[in-house]
Amino acid sequence: MIDKLANDNQGSAKVVKVDVTNNMGLAERYQIQFLPTLVLFKGGEVVDTQVGLVAPDKLQKMIDSAA
């Protein structure tokens, strides 16, 4: 699902996956306690966070709202 979002938003948003097991510092910095967690940034600042499984259309709406 994340790969599809990355492809669908190519050129307008950067969608990446991070393995928090190998990047514990990032997990601590953004207070990620549960997986999956989506953190949406705009201009380097966190603008939204979603914890748990979510329908792809809801994730797309999050991305669109930050544009």
Side-chain angles (χ1 to χ4, degrees), residues 2-52:
I2 297 298
D3 292 335
K4 181 174 177 358
L5 281 173
N7 287 332
D8 291 350
N9 291 283
Q10 197 170 18
S12 62
K14 188 174 188 177
V15 179
V16 298
K17 295 184 275 189
V18 175
D19 179 352
V20 294
T21 303
N22 293 323
N23 295 286
M24 294 296 280
L26 281 176
E28 289 176 20
R29 180 176 180 179
Y30 296 105
Q31 300 174 357
I32 296 172
Q33 299 177 354
F34 304 100
L35 298 177
T37 296
L38 174 86
V39 181
L40 184 65
F41 295 86
K42 183 171 184 177
E45 300 293 323
V46 175
V47 294
D48 204 351
T49 302
Q50 177 65 50
V51 178

